[in-house]
Structures are given as C-alpha cells and as structure tokens.
Amino acid sequence: MSERCLELVVYTVRDADDATRIRREAMGHIKTMPGFISWTAVRGCEDDATFADLAEWQSLAHAQAAAETFVKDARFADFRAAISGMIHMSHFTTDASVAV
C-alpha cells in the first residue's frame, strides 16, 4: 500500500473574486478524481490575490495523475486562466518521526 500524499500549491490570481468562483467550480471536478481524499483552499491574509490549495491524495501517483489532468482537461481551462503566477507546488508525506 502506498503512502498518502499531500499536494501543496501556492499561486497568485488575476482577480481574487473571480478566481474564488472558478476554484469552487473546479472543486466539483477534482473531488471526483481517482484517489482524491480532501482539499483545503486558503487565501492570503496580506494579499487576497495569493491562494493556496492543500489537497490530500491516496498516493503520489494519484496526485501526479490529477495534476496532469488539471493541465490538459478543458474543464479546468478557466481555473488555469485565472492563475497569474505559480509560487510553489510540491508533494509531501506525513513525517511520523515528529510527535505532536
């Protein structure tokens, strides 16, 4: 069994209000993708045009397949167009060596 994967994407948008609406629409498609577990969408406190999404996937392979779909699928064209710049995108697993 593969480890769950957290995908963190931080980006800026052209119009925050429009991007919020578009991101909400995209969520309907993303949550139907294989391996999807959850998505937390946040917005910058100091700059409301900075967005971050934290998605949890069943595995890194699922996260990578979803990213490929996002780049190619016409259902996400408006979302891609709303993004003005990519700040950070990476994948993570839980670090069990750190106790909380």
Side-chain angles (χ1 to χ4, degrees):
M1 185 174 162
S2 54
E3 272 187 86
R4 288 187 174 182
C5 176
L6 294 173
E7 178 180 70
L8 175 64
V9 184
V10 183
Y11 53 97
T12 56
V13 296
R14 298 178 203 299
D15 179 280
D17 292 332
D18 192 42
T20 297
R21 178 189 55 77
I22 293 166
R23 182 164 65 166
R24 193 176 309 118
E25 291 171 7
M27 177 56 165
H29 301 301
I30 289 173
K31 69 182 184 180
T32 67
M33 291 182 172
F36 175 82
I37 296 173
S38 68
W39 181 6
T40 301
V42 297
R43 193 165 162 173
C45 293
E46 293 86 11
D47 177 6
D48 71 350
T50 300
F51 284 23
D53 296 326
L54 180 64
E56 185 176 8
W57 299 94
Q58 289 177 357
S59 69
L60 175 59
H62 284 107
Q64 291 170 329
E68 267 189 53
T69 299
F70 178 81
V71 170
K72 296 176 183 176
D73 194 312
R75 296 175 299 172
F76 301 107
D78 288 345
F79 196 3
R80 291 190 305 265
I83 297 171
S84 60
M86 184 65 65
I87 297 171
H88 181 83
M89 180 181 177
S90 55
H91 297 100
F92 301 88
T93 59
T94 303
D95 185 351
S97 69
V98 179
V100 284

